Amino acid sequence: MIKSVLLARPHPFISSEMKPFLEYSGYAAVKLENLADFTTQAKSSSGVVISMAVSSSLGKSAAETFIQLRQEISRVPVMFASILPFDESLAGLKRLAEHAGIQATIVGVSAGNENAAALGKPDTFLYISKDDLADPARRAIASRMTQRHFR
């Protein structure tokens, strides 16, 4: 049976780039269509992808989405995705973790992080950028990291 990953904040990058990437990595990507279904769909998923985009068709910010997820389901692994490179998103991810009241381990795509012990843990933020998916070598590393994170 194929594991599913919930795309919690649909955005053009998430729909056009992340969905095929997740399918390439062996997951069924399920796009959240209605906020009322968030908890139910997240509970049945191997992981949740949250777009860091400023806006989403569902109206909640990345921080609001993550906080709701943690209040209702504390153990599901989370991936954050954006068009920005890791270095440019790191401060925002740290603020998000602080706002949520957690001490997060933030991991970007790199060969050195491919076997990070933090992958798969609920307090780990795996971050994937558009550039990570555009380069074939980085995409392969990102795929292996995703598979470890969304076991």
Side-chain angles (χ1 to χ4, degrees):
M1 183 168 137
I2 294 179
K3 295 178 180 181
S4 66
V5 172
L6 180 63
L7 304 176
R9 289 189 77 231
H11 180 268
F13 163 66
I14 295 297
S15 298
S16 67
E17 307 265 346
M18 187 58 66
K19 188 173 187 223
F21 166 74
L22 289 168
E23 291 167 351
Y24 163 82
S25 299
Y27 298 93
V30 178
K31 182 178 168 185
L32 183 65
E33 301 288 347
N34 185 335
L35 282 174
D37 298 331
F38 180 52
T39 302
T40 303
Q41 288 186 318
K43 280 182 183 177
S44 64
S45 298
S46 295
V48 174
V49 177
I50 299 175
S51 168
M52 296 293 291
V54 174
S55 65
S56 168
S57 61
L58 297 179
K60 286 194 174 208
S61 71
E64 291 168 328
T65 302
F66 178 74
I67 288 168
Q68 180 182 347
L69 178 67
R70 281 298 171 253
Q71 288 172 344
E72 297 175 14
I73 310 162
S74 61
R75 306 294 307 161
V76 67
V78 178
M79 174 193 299
F80 289 92
S82 175
I83 59 171
L84 298 175
F86 178 71
D87 293 345
E88 292 179 33
S89 294
L90 188 56
L93 290 167
K94 287 179 180 178
R95 279 192 305 276
L96 190 152
E98 184 178 307
H99 184 70
I102 67 166
Q103 192 73 21
T105 301
I106 303 170
V107 180
V109 174
S110 73
N113 289 336
E114 192 171 339
N115 294 311
L119 292 173
K121 297 183 179 177
D123 60 347
T124 297
F125 291 0
L126 174 58
Y127 180 82
I128 294 185
S129 72
K130 186 172 184 169
D131 290 345
D132 293 329
L133 301 182
D135 177 82
R138 289 176 64 116
R139 182 181 180 97
I141 293 169
S143 179
R144 289 188 293 273
M145 290 178 74
T146 299
Q147 291 166 349
R148 286 185 48 102
H149 196 52
F150 294 155
R151 303 171 213 212

